């Protein structure tokens, strides 16, 4: 008998390709006002959460991912935020503190990250990019597993996915290593998906 879970990686890869295509075309066709206004202000529930946590994790947008750094500018300026950092092309990802005046350098995977000399940090609340999501907290990432491994090592950290509304799907294929999101933020709404918020 064939194990149905053996096909999950290929299902996810097919969904990634479909959702990346959808996201790319959605972003390319955004009007100027929507592009400017999207992800510029934290919704009230998130503003309170960010204020309550000493270290907030975020990311430097890559390609057509939503750019959330302007939304977190006040927090970044006052206390700094933590961004993903890769020491090399390895499985483990860490976070390093960053402020708007600090340079971002090209990391080994091509994404922008804090410089090697930046201080390490462990966020208690993390905004993570996604390729796809559902309303139960399922997340499809880029496929490298970096966030899932970090989430597994830090299960108490609140996990908030960030994506465009067109990245929503009915249900995400779930693998044993996948960690559910607590919420999802899109340009249209803030969706609570778990019971930790």
């Amino acid at each position: 008998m064939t194990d149905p879970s053996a096909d999950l990686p290929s299902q996810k890869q097919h969904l990634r390709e479909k959702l990346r295509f959808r996201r790319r075309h959605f972003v390319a066709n955004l009007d100027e006002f929507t592009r400017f206004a999207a992800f510029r202000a934290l919704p009230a529930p998130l503003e309170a959460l960010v204020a309550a946590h000493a270290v907030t994790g975020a990311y430097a947008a890559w390609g057509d991912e939503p750019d959330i750094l302007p939304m977190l500018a006040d927090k970044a300026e006052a206390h700094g935020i933590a961004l993903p950092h890769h020491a090399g092309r390895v499985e483990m990802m860490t976070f390093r503190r960053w402020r708007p005046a600090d340079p971002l350098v090209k990391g080994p995977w091509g994404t922008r990250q804090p410089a090697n000399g930046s201080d390490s940090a462990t966020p208690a609340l993390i905004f993570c990019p996604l390729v796809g999501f559902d309303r139960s907290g399922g997340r499809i990432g880029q496929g490298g597993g970096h966030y899932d491994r970090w989430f597994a090592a830090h299960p108490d950290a609140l996990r908030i996915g960030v994506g465009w509304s067109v990245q929503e799907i009915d249900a995400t294929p779930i693998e044993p290593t996948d960690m559910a999101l607590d919420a999802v933020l899109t340009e249209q709404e803030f969706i609570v998906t778990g019971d930790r918020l």
Side-chain angles (χ1 to χ4, degrees):
M1 183 177 223
T2 305
D3 179 2
S5 67
D7 194 40
L8 284 177
S10 62
Q11 287 179 37
K12 281 183 151 182
Q13 187 54 37
H14 176 72
L15 272 171
R16 275 188 198 97
E17 291 166 10
K18 177 181 171 183
L19 290 166
R20 284 178 180 137
F21 177 85
R22 188 188 294 176
R23 178 178 70 185
R24 185 169 55 251
H25 285 275
F26 176 78
V27 172
N29 290 297
L30 280 175
D31 63 82
E32 195 172 323
F33 176 77
T34 303
R35 186 187 300 266
F36 174 78
F39 303 99
R40 288 302 186 261
L42 281 165
L46 274 179
E47 193 169 1
L49 272 174
V50 167
H53 290 85
V55 181
T56 297
Y59 62 90
W62 182 73
D64 42 31
E65 292 175 344
D67 182 4
I68 62 169
L69 293 183
M71 180 177 75
L72 297 168
D74 290 345
K75 171 87 172 186
E77 196 64 54
H79 306 288
I81 56 176
L83 301 179
H85 183 272
H86 300 272
R89 284 187 164 257
V90 294
E91 290 186 352
M92 296 311 297
M93 173 178 81
T94 60
F95 281 82
R96 297 205 178 206
R97 288 193 179 269
W98 177 83
R99 290 180 188 248
D102 298 340
L104 289 171
V105 300
K106 186 176 178 180
W109 302 103
T111 54
R112 296 177 302 140
Q113 65 181 29
N116 289 339
S118 303
D119 292 337
S120 294
T122 304
L125 164 70
I126 180 169
F127 290 92
C128 63
L130 44 80
V131 175
F133 70 92
D134 63 39
R135 289 183 178 250
S136 299
R139 171 185 173 269
I140 295 178
Q142 293 290 350
H146 295 104
Y147 278 94
D148 284 317
R149 282 187 289 275
W150 194 91
F151 292 154
H154 305 87
D156 293 335
L158 295 174
R159 303 178 289 271
I160 300 171
V162 182
W164 300 101
S165 55
V166 297
Q167 295 173 249
E168 182 177 350
I169 56 178
D170 292 334
T172 303
I174 302 295
E175 296 180 80
T177 54
D178 291 338
M179 300 285 289
L181 298 168
D182 295 297
V184 176
L185 177 65
T186 75
E187 83 284 6
Q188 294 182 349
E189 61 185 321
F190 178 56
I191 307 160
V192 177
T193 60
D195 58 4
R196 300 200 302 163
L197 298 184

